[in-house]
Amino acid sequence: MVSEHSDDQDDETTALALKILVAGGFGVGKTTLVGAVSEIRPLRTEELLSQAGQLVDDTQGVDQKVTTTVAMDFGRITIRSGLSLYLFGTPGQDRFWFLWDELSQGALGAVVLADTRRLEDCFPAVDYFEHRHIPFVVAVNCFAGARGYGARDVSRALDLDEGTPVVLCDARDRDSGKEVLIRLVEYAGRMHTARLLDSVG
């Protein structure tokens, strides 16, 4: 006899939730991206920038920024029926890097946000994920007034491994952010499948 709740149970067992990190330099738009795409009210751990913080936080190029993430941002987005992404925005400053190892546990992959005005700020995030073999895409947040660069130019400037996707986006726009996340899920899926095949080959 088939339970009348069997369909609900099937939905629950086939539902997939994936953990994604959103990383990058200070003031690049991580909190903005998580907030723009999240279908729930995002959790934010922001504090006002202080005079003491000016000694350690480089605000050049982001002079209007008045808050900073001190732990993480959290949001959720449903990509399609049965597939949800849990988004964890990492803090950008060096002094909070001890949190990255905790946040990266169990992550499918990461989005590294980049600002072409301060491209060097995303080098640490790129290095972090490359050394830990965590699949990532570089998403260039197209700020107003920033000089436009193509994906190939950014890839060369960051010396990315061949095949690492570079996409242009607007972190404020939900559809743009969602496209970045879909690109990451597709890329990470291919990478994990290839590693699995290598391990059994």
Side-chain angles (χ1 to χ4, degrees):
M1 182 175 176
V2 178
S3 166
E4 58 187 71
H5 299 296
S6 61
D7 288 343
D8 292 338
Q9 291 170 345
D10 287 345
D11 287 345
E12 289 177 9
T13 57
T14 57
L16 186 60
L18 303 174
K19 181 179 183 181
I20 302 294
L21 300 187
V22 180
F26 178 63
V28 78
K30 299 180 294 294
T31 298
T32 300
L33 176 66
V34 172
V37 301
S38 181
E39 62 199 16
I40 61 172
R41 183 177 179 180
L43 168 68
R44 293 177 172 155
T45 57
E46 289 192 306
E47 295 292 339
L48 289 172
L49 289 172
S50 65
Q51 284 190 327
Q54 290 177 358
L55 300 174
V56 289
D57 294 331
D58 181 10
T59 58
Q60 186 174 355
V62 286
D63 305 335
Q64 304 303 311
K65 187 172 175 60
V66 295
T67 61
T68 184
T69 299
V70 295
M72 67 173 186
D73 299 311
F74 174 78
R76 186 190 72 210
I77 179 174
T78 302
I79 296 295
R80 57 172 170 75
S81 178
L83 176 59
S84 296
L85 304 181
Y86 290 107
L87 309 174
F88 292 80
T90 64
Q93 302 97 308
D94 293 351
R95 67 184 187 277
F96 295 124
W97 270 58
F98 66 92
L99 293 169
W100 283 47
D101 287 337
E102 258 329 290
L103 291 173
S104 64
Q105 291 294 320
L108 174 79
V111 173
V112 175
L113 273 175
D115 178 352
T116 57
R117 300 170 301 179
R118 298 177 297 125
L119 199 57
E120 67 280 1
D121 288 1
C122 73
F123 276 120
V126 168
D127 288 343
Y128 182 90
F129 296 120
E130 282 185 345
H131 285 114
R132 287 160 181 78
H133 305 290
I134 297 173
F136 67 95
V137 301
V138 173
V140 179
N141 193 6
C142 299
F143 286 91
R147 182 178 169 187
Y149 291 92
R152 287 184 180 178
D153 294 328
V154 172
S155 182
R156 280 196 297 267
L158 293 176
D159 193 25
L160 297 177
D161 290 341
E162 187 175 353
T164 302
V166 176
V167 294
L168 307 182
C169 75
D170 181 344
R172 302 166 298 178
D173 182 77
R174 187 176 195 274
D175 290 337
S176 180
K178 187 175 179 180
E179 282 301 314
V180 171
L181 295 170
I182 290 171
R183 185 79 178 272
L184 170 62
V185 170
E186 292 173 346
Y187 174 64
R190 292 195 303 270
M191 292 292 289
H192 286 295
T193 299
R195 289 172 188 169
L196 182 62
L197 292 174
D198 285 344
S199 69
V200 298

